[in-house]
Every structure is written in structure tokens, then in C-alpha cells.
Amino acid sequence: MSFFDVGDYSNQSNPNESYVSESKIEVGVEQGEDEVASGAHCSSDKFQLPDLNEEYVEEPKTYPRYRYGTCHSYAEVNRDYEYEEDDNDFEESDDEEKDSNEEDDFDEADVSFETNQEFGSVEELKAWVYQRAIASNFVIVTKRTISKKDHLEHNRITKIWLCCDRGGEYNSTATQRRSGSKKIGCPFSLVGRLNSKSDGWRLEVKEAKHNHKASQHLEGHAFARRLTPDEEQLVEILHSQNLEPANILLTIRNQNPHSVCILRDIQNVVNKIKIRMYAGRTPMQVLEQHLVDKGYIYFTRENLSTNAVEEILFVHPHSLTLWRAFPHVLMIDATYKTNEYKIPFVQIIGVTSTHKSFCVAHAFISKEKHDNFLWLMTMLRDMLEKCVEKCMEPRVIVTDRDLALMNACDEVFPNASKLLCRWHISQNILKHWKKRFTKNDWKIFKLSWARLCESPTLEIYEYNFNRLFDRLHREGRKDVMDYVCDIWLNKHKEKFVSFWTNTNRNFGQHTTNRVESQHANLKRYLKGHNNSLHGLVLQVDRILESQVIAIKHSFQNSLFVHMRHHKIPLFDCLRGKVSHKALDLLVVQLKKLDDLRRVNGTCGHQLFTSCGLPCACRLNWYQRTGNKIPLADIDVFWTRLNVLPEKIQKDKSTLNEEMDQKDEGYLHEEMDKITQKLKLQSSPVKKSMISKLVAVVNPSMTDHRPPEVQKDTRGRPSKKKQQQRNEEANKDDTKKKGVQRSRIKKSKDKEIICDDDFPMLVGSRYKNVIKNYKDWLPARYRPYITDIEDVEPDGNCGFRSIARGLDMEQNHWPFVRQQLLDEMTINESLWRPLFSRLYLELYDEIYNSINYMGVEPAPLRNWMTMPYAGLLAAQKFGVIIQHFSIGGNFTYFPMFDGPATFPDHITMSIAFVKNIHFICLKLTSDCPMPLPHGIWSLYARPEAKEWEALYSSRIEQGKALTASNKSKNRDYLNIFG
């Protein structure tokens, strides 16, 4: 409840429902280090911060003037003020500061501050005092300063008071939070004065004694622990490298052995860095701005109802360049537990001619469904096709047995060969059947299975299959063979057995192990499971940079470094023209050739069919004929040692040779079309379309909401989760046995009225809510309440309650916030003057309090503030809002429009309970209506006044209800009449 709430204050415990201070901020008053410790203080010496936990006691309304301190991160806290008085006017205050504790008797510090030295500046004086105090394990801080204007009208400090950091007193009124203070009224005092003649500073000791012993460890003094500017810069550099605060602390303590900073100081600096990075922007604005700044090509897809981003695909410019050069193979897999939204993170990996992995693209997807993967693969294909020059599509795509992903790849890349990861298949079989084998038998089974998967011909496949079949049946493991056949071989053998997979070039890629390796590499960079999307993309940047460096190095080695084992006459035409990896594979085939000659075997031509390199049989022909391997016998994949794009091979029957035009003329042509379409639209539509274009060009203005946090995440569950699942499974039988009984009780419960004060609430489901909130609901309105719905108490409860009142799910609270922000922005010319009449900066404060879309619980400053949010919501949604609380009951009508504008309006009700929470109510359609709020009564437009006439009878009933209540409760002052 705000300053302008009026109504019945009966049974009131705290009228300030919004916890928004009604004080006036006073800026520019003097303060010192002591004030910063307390956060805020009143101009009155006896005033203390109010404790929100204390019971409210009504007193004459006085509004104290608060003043808030600010602290520079590198220097002592001091404020400069201009005074007309001379220095002598402060002699009396100097004497007052000599107050010391006579009961305690402590020796003077070992270091004396008596000096005739004249200092060149106040900073030099403070540094001298600070260093001498630290030497004796005392900490001296600035208490206050006085400044005057010089001849240039610049404020200049002329006097400074220095005191012990344990001087003064601090009394906390907090009851919930544990608090304490190191201040014990130490009388130690120094005064520094500027000599106007010599322009130097002299130091005077007012009180040299402390009433306490020197500190044993300076780590307990926040002032002594402060980081220097160089140290803060080092923290920022190390934090950007994803170093943990504990390791940053060790680095600083190692570089500066005299530093006494602690882990909390490092964490505070890191928090300041994060605040500076976000600068009031939403997570999506930060992410999209970073993607634009780094030159990423990215696409997003949003939920149309909530505007929450569901999918994000982003491709680094280096990745696009590499992919255009090596589009032959794609390996796709998702990993989990990488971000705070718990959504899967998809990595698409390619491979170069030197067998170096590189990231083609990354994506966040809300669900692993066919529609999500179809959008992802479509965007990927369109991006490749819309390059300046069309490039070759992938030849091979390797995935695990995710049917949704497999079907999406079939639709988008029908000509590519689709392979299943052999490693995932082996892991699946291991998971289900390893327990059926002994250790030795399992090794034999794995070897037999590998031979079956690598069968180069149909005949060899049938042979290996029969051997495996016979062995398992002979050993009594028929069920294992049935599983392997039913799940894998009968349905998918064409996707992982070499005889079928080698019909297309796959360059030796039969698994997604490269993707799994990139998953592990990424998680080595990440700090944990709850990383922000922006933080995760920062680590992707680092990984990509290291990949590019490694790839360039491998290219250069293949071009200019001739390895000793490659100096074979057969390779004379290949050295320096194909990658070292291709030559290594040929060397392996030459060694294999010797083995085949001994047993008169055949190689199966696997290297030729899968990789495009001469197999052992062909190498045998070159040796017999004395010919050298020509470059033409090597697939183009192995000859590419640069990042120039791989062009499409011209084929008149299947390919279209037309190129996309992306020159200046094309750009102007498209912009002209957009301009013509804009001119044909109405003004509101035109503004909406322009705002979307601006958001595309300037991502920091995007209104995209971050993804919704997913609850059902994949990945290995923790032991605690496993135990919970087992306990829930054990309870299933008990629940099933009691089904019939529970149904009988349920039918009886429907007839039960839990509380006589709520005759309309029937059923035991209301028992808890009545128990929790009965005392916070007005007694005269209880008989009219037909439903009470609690919402999640996460700081967004007010907006959740409005969402429920609008018949939406409560998780649509960001939509309500965004709509209220839109209302304030679109009709700023109406709302700003209105709120300015109440308080000059009120409009901006209300806007900032509503502007919150985070996933964490909303902080106190972003809670819903009544009556302002009620007035905005009534106008934006065209509804009537009834607001109930023990501090007063009010009705909010639309402020600027009458009933004719909203003929199908509804009436919703919310209640403010326990001084911290909102709930949603439903009342009968003919219940008495509380009085209109005073702000509405004063400033509503004439056409909006028709609401009061329309509901005059119900409002009169509400007045009568209030009048009958006054006889039993205290009256309140209606300042709006």
C-alpha cells in the first residue's frame, strides 16, 4: 500500500503493502565511512532504519528525510561540502570528538602521529596516516571532510577528520537477520587542516589513545582489505577467463603477500563486474548484443503467446568459413546441465582434412522434439544456401538414435547419408546386458560386435552375424541376441554397418565421439550447471579461437613439413598437396598390404569407399606397375588445406546454377519493398513493424524474453533423485489400494464447509488457505468469496495473481509485466504527468519496479506496488480490479476510458496478505464493491467516471459495509474525500 492509499485501516498491521519507501531522498549531505556501513541513515540523530518485521503502530504521519551514501571502489568514503564559516567555527565539534572511554586503560599505539611535516595534498596526508596505522595493526578511516570554493569556484577540501574504524556506535533493529558491529566508540581522532598560505596540509592529534587493543589479523577490517585499482583490473581479467573466485584470491595473495583481502572481497568485485556488464539489460538483450558484436549469424524462434525464446541457433563467422570449406560431414548431439534454464545445448561438429574438429553451429532448444530439430536443421541449410556462393551440402550426418533428430535430417538434407553413432549403440547394449556376461565373455562379445559393425561386404556381414548368433544361443543368451536384432539390426543396420554406410564417403566418421569430446571440452570451461546463456557463449568464443589456431597450424604443417615416414616414392605427387592425415592412412594401408600378401586376403576396399583414398589392393597395383599415386585419385576433401569454400559440382539435371544476389543493388531493392509495405500500414501497425526492425538492428532493444526454465531435464540423476524415485515407486501400491476409499471420502468432502465465515468455500481443499489467510481477508467480504487461489511466492506473486484473474496460467506473469511496461511506454504522455503530480520521479520508479524478467525470485524493489500497478492493469486490460487488505479495500477502474470502450470487461479480485504476498480471489457477481481509489477519483477522465455511475449501487453497498465496520474498528483518514 502506498502513500496515496485510502480506506479502512481497521486491524492494520502495516499499511505499506509495497515496501516502497515514502521518504524523500536528500542528496548532497555530508557523510563518512560510518554511514556507508549502515547503508542509510536519517538526518535525525535518534532515527533508526525501520524494521519490517516489527508490528506496525499507528503514529502521527511524519515522513523522515533519508539520505543514502555512495562509496568509491578505490578510495575512502568522504563527501565535500561548501561552508561559509571559518575553520574556528568547528573547534567546538573537535572538542566533542575527544569523548573516550575512561573505564578502559589502553596504552598508546606504538607509532606516534605527532609530526611537524607538511603534506602536499590531502591524499598524501591520508596515505601517511594509513601506512603508520597499519604498521601497528590499527585501521584509520575518514570520518568527515569540509570543503570550500576556491577562486575558480571549485570545491576544495580544507579540513578532514580521521578516526579509528572502531569509533562510533551502531545499533541494529533487525530481528530476522543476525547482525553485529565492530564499533565500540574508540576515541582516537586526528584532524588535518589546509594551510591557506603555504597550500600545505598539517596534521593535529586530538586523541592519540584507543580504547581497544590492536588487531591481530587485518582480514577482519573491510577498509584494510580493499583492492587496489590494479588488483581489481586483474580480477576482471581472470574472471573473463572463467577462473573461480577462490583461485583469483590465491593469485592476488601470491602476487601481493601483504594483501589481506578475503574471498568475499573477490566475489563483490565479480558481482560489480556482472552488474556493469548487464547495465540494466535483460539476459536476452545481453546475449543478442554479444552475438551481433562478435559477428555471429543467429536465428531465434519465440513462443507467440509469451514472447519467450524457445530456440536459438548461432554460428560464429569462423565456423561458417570452415563449414563452407568442409561441408562434407556433420556430427550432431545434445548435452545437458549447461545453463540456468536447463534446456538442451546442441553442438554441430565438422571435421577438416587434417582431422581437426571444429564447431559448425550451436543451438539452445526448448525440447528435443521433431518440430524443434526441423526448425534447427532448416535454419542451418538456409544459412549455407544463402551465402554469396552456394556451397556443397553435407554428404554424411552422424547422430545418435534420436528419432526426432533423424527424421528432421531426412526432411532437410534428403541426399545426405544418415549414420548412427556406433559408440552410443555399444553403450546402450552395455547398459542393458553387460550384467549377463562374465568379464571375459563380455570382451569376446564386444570384439564380435565390432567385427559385425565393420563388415565390408554383405557376405562378411552374414558370416559375422551367424557366428555371433551361434555363440549367444550356445551360451544361453538368446535374449541378448533378440534385443540386438529387434532394436538395432533389423531396423537400423543400414545406418551403422560398414557395408551400407560406406556406399557414401564418411571419411572415417562412424561415431559422434568428436561431439562428445567437444561437450567435455566445453564443460571444462564452464563453472557448473547454472551458467547464463551469455556466459556460455563467451566460452564458445574461446573454444572456437583455439580450434582455428590448431586448424591453421595443421594446414601449415601439411603444406610445408615433410614427415620422414611419408618419404615414400609412391607419395611423391602427394606430399605438400594433401593432408598429413591422408598420408598416415595410406601408410597404414601399406603395412596392411604386407599382412594381406601373407594370407592372400583382401582389404574389402573400405578405405576407398569410405574415405576416397587408395586402399591396399590399389596400392598393390601401383607398386607392381611402378606408378606414383596421382592427385586425381585422392578425394577433394583431403586436398583442401585452406578455408576457401567448397563449390558445388555442376550437374545440369539436379542443381540450379543461379546465384543469390547480395550486392548493394539487391539490398536497396529489398529495402524499397519494405518501405512500400510500411507505407500501406496503419500508424499502430507501422510503429510495431518499425520497432521490430529496430530490435533486429539493435539487439539491446529486443523485447525477447529468456527461455522458460525446463523441469524435465535429461542426464544422469543424482543419488538423492534416485532415492526419491525409489521412495515414490514404493508408495504406488499403497496409493492404489486406497483409491476407492479416497474417492468415497472425496465425495463427502464436497459437502464440507471448512469455516463458517466462508460459506461459499465448500470442500477440504480450502482448509489450508483459509487457515493461512483468514485473518488477512476483510471480515465483511468473507461471505462473498467463492474461491481462493494461492500463487507462487517468488516476488512476482502480484503479477501472477493478475494473470490468474485474466484466466491465464500464473507462469504468464512476465506477459503481465511486459503489458504494463507497454502501457506506460505507449501512453507515457498520459501517465507521466499524472504520476508527476504525486511525485516527480514516481513514473521512473514505477517503470523500473515493473521491469524485471529474471528467472530468480524478484527482489524487493521489483515487487508489485499498489495502487499504481492496479491502475495500470485496469487501463491496459480493460478490467475492474478489487484490491483487499487489512489496510484498506479499493476498486481500480480504467483511468482514461469508459465502459463503452470495454463492453466485455470482467471484474477480478486480489488480496494482499501477510504484508508480503498477493493471492487471487473470486467473489460473487453481486457482492458489494469497495470504494474507488482516491487517485482514480481525483484524476480519472470524465468518460472514465461513467464506471462509478455504472456500479453505483454496488459501491453504495460497499460504503454501507465500511460504515458498519467503523463502529468496531479504528477510523482512517481519507485524504481524497
Side-chain angles (χ1 to χ4, degrees), residues 210-241:
H210 295 268
N211 65 353
H212 58 91
K213 295 182 179 180
S215 299
Q216 294 183 1
H217 307 288
L218 291 177
E219 283 81 357
H221 296 264
F223 185 85
R225 299 197 313 259
R226 292 178 310 165
L227 302 180
T228 65
D230 290 339
E231 289 174 339
E232 290 205 1
Q233 186 177 5
L234 177 60
V235 171
E236 185 169 2
I237 294 173
L238 296 178
H239 173 68
S240 66
Q241 297 176 358

Short mmCIF file of all heavy atoms in Angstrom, two decimals, residues 210-241:
data_model
loop_
_atom_site.label_atom_id
_atom_site.label_comp_id
_atom_site.label_asym_id
_atom_site.label_seq_id
_atom_site.Cartn_x
_atom_site.Cartn_y
_atom_site.Cartn_z
N HIS A 210 43.59 4.63 21.90
CA HIS A 210 42.48 3.76 21.52
C HIS A 210 41.92 3.11 22.77
O HIS A 210 42.62 2.98 23.78
CB HIS A 210 42.96 2.66 20.56
CG HIS A 210 43.45 3.17 19.24
ND1 HIS A 210 42.64 3.31 18.14
CD2 HIS A 210 44.68 3.59 18.85
CE1 HIS A 210 43.35 3.76 17.13
NE2 HIS A 210 44.60 3.95 17.53
N ASN A 211 40.67 2.72 22.74
CA ASN A 211 40.08 2.01 23.87
C ASN A 211 40.03 0.50 23.60
O ASN A 211 39.21 -0.21 24.18
CB ASN A 211 38.69 2.53 24.19
CG ASN A 211 37.71 2.28 23.06
OD1 ASN A 211 38.11 1.83 22.00
ND2 ASN A 211 36.44 2.57 23.30
N HIS A 212 40.90 0.04 22.72
CA HIS A 212 40.94 -1.38 22.40
C HIS A 212 42.36 -1.75 21.98
O HIS A 212 43.18 -0.87 21.66
CB HIS A 212 39.96 -1.70 21.26
CG HIS A 212 40.22 -0.93 20.01
ND1 HIS A 212 41.05 -1.38 19.01
CD2 HIS A 212 39.79 0.31 19.61
CE1 HIS A 212 41.09 -0.49 18.05
NE2 HIS A 212 40.35 0.55 18.38
N LYS A 213 42.63 -3.00 21.95
CA LYS A 213 43.94 -3.47 21.54
C LYS A 213 44.05 -3.50 20.03
O LYS A 213 43.05 -3.47 19.32
CB LYS A 213 44.20 -4.86 22.10
CG LYS A 213 44.28 -4.90 23.62
CD LYS A 213 44.59 -6.32 24.10
CE LYS A 213 44.70 -6.36 25.62
NZ LYS A 213 44.99 -7.72 26.12
N ALA A 214 45.27 -3.55 19.55
CA ALA A 214 45.49 -3.64 18.11
C ALA A 214 44.96 -4.97 17.59
O ALA A 214 44.93 -5.98 18.30
CB ALA A 214 46.98 -3.50 17.79
N SER A 215 44.55 -4.95 16.34
CA SER A 215 44.01 -6.16 15.73
C SER A 215 45.14 -7.17 15.47
O SER A 215 46.24 -6.80 15.08
CB SER A 215 43.33 -5.83 14.40
OG SER A 215 42.26 -4.93 14.62
N GLN A 216 44.81 -8.43 15.69
CA GLN A 216 45.78 -9.47 15.38
C GLN A 216 45.81 -9.79 13.88
O GLN A 216 46.85 -10.12 13.33
CB GLN A 216 45.44 -10.74 16.16
CG GLN A 216 45.59 -10.58 17.66
CD GLN A 216 45.32 -11.86 18.41
OE1 GLN A 216 45.05 -12.88 17.79
NE2 GLN A 216 45.41 -11.83 19.73
N HIS A 217 44.64 -9.67 13.24
CA HIS A 217 44.53 -10.00 11.82
C HIS A 217 43.73 -8.91 11.12
O HIS A 217 42.58 -8.67 11.47
CB HIS A 217 43.85 -11.36 11.63
CG HIS A 217 44.47 -12.47 12.41
ND1 HIS A 217 45.70 -13.01 12.08
CD2 HIS A 217 44.05 -13.13 13.52
CE1 HIS A 217 46.00 -13.97 12.94
NE2 HIS A 217 45.02 -14.05 13.84
N LEU A 218 44.35 -8.27 10.17
CA LEU A 218 43.67 -7.18 9.44
C LEU A 218 42.61 -7.71 8.48
O LEU A 218 41.89 -6.92 7.88
CB LEU A 218 44.70 -6.36 8.66
CG LEU A 218 45.65 -5.53 9.53
CD1 LEU A 218 46.67 -4.82 8.66
CD2 LEU A 218 44.87 -4.52 10.37
N GLU A 219 42.52 -9.04 8.29
CA GLU A 219 41.47 -9.58 7.44
C GLU A 219 40.08 -9.26 7.96
O GLU A 219 39.10 -9.34 7.22
CB GLU A 219 41.62 -11.10 7.31
CG GLU A 219 42.72 -11.55 6.37
CD GLU A 219 44.09 -11.52 7.01
OE1 GLU A 219 44.20 -11.08 8.20
OE2 GLU A 219 45.07 -11.92 6.36
N GLY A 220 39.97 -8.91 9.24
CA GLY A 220 38.67 -8.57 9.80
C GLY A 220 38.26 -7.14 9.57
O GLY A 220 37.18 -6.73 10.00
N HIS A 221 39.08 -6.34 8.86
CA HIS A 221 38.78 -4.93 8.61
C HIS A 221 38.52 -4.73 7.11
O HIS A 221 39.42 -4.91 6.29
CB HIS A 221 39.93 -4.04 9.06
CG HIS A 221 40.17 -4.09 10.54
ND1 HIS A 221 39.64 -3.16 11.41
CD2 HIS A 221 40.85 -4.97 11.30
CE1 HIS A 221 40.01 -3.45 12.65
NE2 HIS A 221 40.75 -4.55 12.61
N ALA A 222 37.28 -4.38 6.77
CA ALA A 222 36.92 -4.22 5.37
C ALA A 222 37.74 -3.13 4.70
O ALA A 222 38.10 -3.24 3.53
CB ALA A 222 35.42 -3.90 5.24
N PHE A 223 38.06 -2.06 5.46
CA PHE A 223 38.82 -0.96 4.88
C PHE A 223 40.22 -1.40 4.48
O PHE A 223 40.74 -1.05 3.42
CB PHE A 223 38.88 0.20 5.87
CG PHE A 223 39.54 1.44 5.34
CD1 PHE A 223 38.82 2.36 4.62
CD2 PHE A 223 40.90 1.67 5.54
CE1 PHE A 223 39.43 3.49 4.12
CE2 PHE A 223 41.51 2.79 5.03
CZ PHE A 223 40.77 3.71 4.32
N ALA A 224 40.84 -2.22 5.33
CA ALA A 224 42.21 -2.68 5.04
C ALA A 224 42.25 -3.70 3.92
O ALA A 224 43.29 -3.90 3.30
CB ALA A 224 42.83 -3.27 6.31
N ARG A 225 41.11 -4.34 3.67
CA ARG A 225 41.07 -5.41 2.67
C ARG A 225 40.82 -4.89 1.26
O ARG A 225 40.84 -5.68 0.31
CB ARG A 225 39.97 -6.42 3.00
CG ARG A 225 40.11 -7.12 4.31
CD ARG A 225 39.22 -8.35 4.34
NE ARG A 225 37.88 -8.09 3.87
CZ ARG A 225 36.83 -7.90 4.66
NH1 ARG A 225 36.98 -7.93 5.97
NH2 ARG A 225 35.63 -7.70 4.14
N ARG A 226 40.56 -3.62 1.10
CA ARG A 226 40.17 -3.12 -0.22
C ARG A 226 41.24 -3.38 -1.27
O ARG A 226 42.43 -3.27 -1.00
CB ARG A 226 39.88 -1.62 -0.15
CG ARG A 226 38.66 -1.26 0.67
CD ARG A 226 38.46 0.23 0.73
NE ARG A 226 39.70 0.89 1.11
CZ ARG A 226 39.91 2.19 0.98
NH1 ARG A 226 38.98 2.95 0.46
NH2 ARG A 226 41.05 2.73 1.35
N LEU A 227 40.76 -3.71 -2.45
CA LEU A 227 41.68 -3.99 -3.55
C LEU A 227 42.11 -2.69 -4.22
O LEU A 227 41.34 -1.73 -4.32
CB LEU A 227 41.00 -4.89 -4.59
CG LEU A 227 40.48 -6.24 -4.09
CD1 LEU A 227 39.83 -7.00 -5.23
CD2 LEU A 227 41.61 -7.06 -3.48
N THR A 228 43.32 -2.68 -4.71
CA THR A 228 43.81 -1.54 -5.47
C THR A 228 43.22 -1.56 -6.87
O THR A 228 42.69 -2.59 -7.31
CB THR A 228 45.34 -1.58 -5.56
OG1 THR A 228 45.72 -2.74 -6.33
CG2 THR A 228 45.96 -1.67 -4.17
N PRO A 229 43.28 -0.45 -7.59
CA PRO A 229 42.77 -0.47 -8.98
C PRO A 229 43.42 -1.53 -9.85
O PRO A 229 42.76 -2.16 -10.66
CB PRO A 229 43.08 0.95 -9.47
CG PRO A 229 43.10 1.79 -8.24
CD PRO A 229 43.65 0.91 -7.16
N ASP A 230 44.74 -1.73 -9.67
CA ASP A 230 45.41 -2.76 -10.47
C ASP A 230 44.90 -4.16 -10.11
O ASP A 230 44.74 -5.02 -10.98
CB ASP A 230 46.92 -2.69 -10.24
CG ASP A 230 47.54 -1.44 -10.84
OD1 ASP A 230 46.89 -0.85 -11.75
OD2 ASP A 230 48.63 -1.03 -10.41
N GLU A 231 44.64 -4.37 -8.81
CA GLU A 231 44.13 -5.68 -8.40
C GLU A 231 42.72 -5.91 -8.92
O GLU A 231 42.37 -7.02 -9.33
CB GLU A 231 44.16 -5.79 -6.88
CG GLU A 231 45.57 -5.91 -6.31
CD GLU A 231 45.59 -5.88 -4.80
OE1 GLU A 231 44.63 -5.36 -4.20
OE2 GLU A 231 46.59 -6.34 -4.21
N GLU A 232 41.88 -4.87 -8.93
CA GLU A 232 40.53 -5.03 -9.47
C GLU A 232 40.58 -5.30 -10.97
O GLU A 232 39.79 -6.09 -11.50
CB GLU A 232 39.70 -3.78 -9.19
CG GLU A 232 39.34 -3.61 -7.73
CD GLU A 232 38.09 -2.79 -7.55
OE1 GLU A 232 37.50 -2.38 -8.57
OE2 GLU A 232 37.68 -2.56 -6.39
N GLN A 233 41.52 -4.67 -11.66
CA GLN A 233 41.67 -4.95 -13.09
C GLN A 233 42.13 -6.39 -13.31
O GLN A 233 41.66 -7.06 -14.24
CB GLN A 233 42.68 -3.98 -13.69
CG GLN A 233 42.82 -4.10 -15.21
CD GLN A 233 43.76 -3.08 -15.78
OE1 GLN A 233 44.39 -2.32 -15.05
NE2 GLN A 233 43.87 -3.05 -17.09
N LEU A 234 42.98 -6.89 -12.44
CA LEU A 234 43.42 -8.28 -12.54
C LEU A 234 42.25 -9.23 -12.28
O LEU A 234 42.11 -10.25 -12.97
CB LEU A 234 44.55 -8.54 -11.54
CG LEU A 234 45.08 -9.98 -11.48
CD1 LEU A 234 45.64 -10.40 -12.83
CD2 LEU A 234 46.14 -10.12 -10.39
N VAL A 235 41.42 -8.90 -11.32
CA VAL A 235 40.23 -9.73 -11.05
C VAL A 235 39.34 -9.80 -12.28
O VAL A 235 38.85 -10.87 -12.65
CB VAL A 235 39.45 -9.17 -9.84
CG1 VAL A 235 38.11 -9.91 -9.69
CG2 VAL A 235 40.25 -9.32 -8.57
N GLU A 236 39.15 -8.66 -12.95
CA GLU A 236 38.29 -8.64 -14.13
C GLU A 236 38.88 -9.50 -15.25
O GLU A 236 38.16 -10.23 -15.94
CB GLU A 236 38.11 -7.20 -14.61
CG GLU A 236 37.15 -7.06 -15.77
CD GLU A 236 36.79 -5.62 -16.04
OE1 GLU A 236 37.32 -4.72 -15.36
OE2 GLU A 236 35.96 -5.38 -16.94
N ILE A 237 40.21 -9.45 -15.42
CA ILE A 237 40.85 -10.26 -16.46
C ILE A 237 40.72 -11.74 -16.14
O ILE A 237 40.36 -12.54 -17.01
CB ILE A 237 42.33 -9.86 -16.59
CG1 ILE A 237 42.45 -8.42 -17.11
CG2 ILE A 237 43.07 -10.83 -17.51
CD1 ILE A 237 43.87 -7.89 -17.12
N LEU A 238 40.99 -12.11 -14.88
CA LEU A 238 40.91 -13.52 -14.51
C LEU A 238 39.47 -14.02 -14.55
O LEU A 238 39.22 -15.17 -14.92
CB LEU A 238 41.51 -13.72 -13.11
CG LEU A 238 43.00 -13.40 -12.98
CD1 LEU A 238 43.46 -13.59 -11.54
CD2 LEU A 238 43.83 -14.26 -13.92
N HIS A 239 38.53 -13.17 -14.18
CA HIS A 239 37.12 -13.58 -14.25
C HIS A 239 36.68 -13.81 -15.68
O HIS A 239 35.91 -14.74 -15.97
CB HIS A 239 36.24 -12.52 -13.59
CG HIS A 239 34.77 -12.76 -13.76
ND1 HIS A 239 34.11 -13.81 -13.16
CD2 HIS A 239 33.82 -12.11 -14.49
CE1 HIS A 239 32.83 -13.78 -13.50
NE2 HIS A 239 32.64 -12.77 -14.31
N SER A 240 37.16 -12.96 -16.60
CA SER A 240 36.82 -13.15 -18.01
C SER A 240 37.38 -14.46 -18.56
O SER A 240 36.87 -14.99 -19.54
CB SER A 240 37.35 -11.98 -18.84
OG SER A 240 38.77 -11.95 -18.84
N GLN A 241 38.42 -14.98 -17.90
CA GLN A 241 38.99 -16.27 -18.29
C GLN A 241 38.34 -17.42 -17.53
O GLN A 241 38.85 -18.54 -17.54
CB GLN A 241 40.50 -16.26 -18.04
CG GLN A 241 41.24 -15.23 -18.89
CD GLN A 241 42.72 -15.16 -18.56
OE1 GLN A 241 43.19 -15.86 -17.68
NE2 GLN A 241 43.45 -14.32 -19.27
#
